[in-house]
Amino acid sequence: MIRVYSIMRFFGRHKYLIVSVLGIVIIGFVGENSILRHVQNRMLVREMKREIDDYNEQYEKAQATLKELKRNPKAITKIAREQYFMKADDEDIFVLSDDQEQGTEENETAK
């Protein structure tokens, strides 16, 4: 009984402190509108703005390419050759790569 009385007396003396700490915890970390959620949402908005900027940049490049294609018919063959590896009937295409295969680090012509 003495223990219950001492606990009640502690809560009676520090009720404002306890309510304040609980309020700060609830507002700061629990619930939909917490400060923690607010910070996460701000970070998400920043990331989405970066993505929007990247997509706008890609859009501008595509628009410039489209204008070039409409203005210059030779640009079609240039894009077909560079991006899609298309070729004319009387030519051969060799694709060179800078990647080294694993295990073939020796020069084959030195043998």
Side-chain angles (χ1 to χ4, degrees), residues 57-110:
E57 188 176 313
Q58 288 177 3
Y59 175 76
E60 289 172 4
K61 286 180 183 178
Q63 286 295 324
T65 304
L66 183 62
K67 284 181 184 178
E68 181 66 25
L69 288 174
K70 287 180 180 178
R71 194 169 42 93
N72 187 2
K74 291 185 180 181
I76 294 173
T77 58
K78 178 183 175 190
I79 289 175
R81 289 171 186 263
E82 290 177 357
Q83 292 183 0
Y84 301 108
F85 302 113
M86 293 183 174
K87 65 180 184 83
D89 290 334
D90 60 342
E91 67 184 9
D92 293 326
I93 294 178
F94 297 98
V95 179
L96 303 177
S97 176
D98 291 338
D99 298 336
Q100 290 183 349
E101 294 182 22
Q102 294 177 350
T104 59
E105 294 179 9
E106 294 181 14
N107 189 357
E108 294 180 8
T109 59

Side-chain angles (χ1 to χ4, degrees), residues 6 11 14 21 36 52 62 67 75 79 90 102-103 108:
S6 64
F11 282 128
H14 303 291
V21 169
L36 185 62
I52 288 171
K67 284 181 184 178
I79 289 175
D90 60 342
Q102 294 177 350
E108 294 180 8

Side-chain angles (χ1 to χ4, degrees), residues 13-76:
R13 287 185 183 169
H14 303 291
K15 59 186 167 194
Y16 297 112
L17 177 65
I18 293 170
V19 169
S20 298
V21 169
L22 284 175
I24 289 171
V25 167
I26 289 172
I27 290 172
F29 301 105
V30 181
E32 290 182 22
N33 299 324
S34 68
I35 294 171
L36 185 62
R37 180 74 57 108
H38 183 71
V39 170
Q40 288 173 345
N41 287 340
R42 279 187 178 235
M43 290 170 49
L44 185 63
V45 166
R46 257 188 240 124
E47 181 180 328
M48 288 182 174
K49 284 183 179 180
R50 279 190 221 116
E51 286 182 16
I52 288 171
D53 291 340
D54 291 342
Y55 287 131
N56 284 335
E57 188 176 313
Q58 288 177 3
Y59 175 76
E60 289 172 4
K61 286 180 183 178
Q63 286 295 324
T65 304
L66 183 62
K67 284 181 184 178
E68 181 66 25
L69 288 174
K70 287 180 180 178
R71 194 169 42 93
N72 187 2
K74 291 185 180 181
I76 294 173

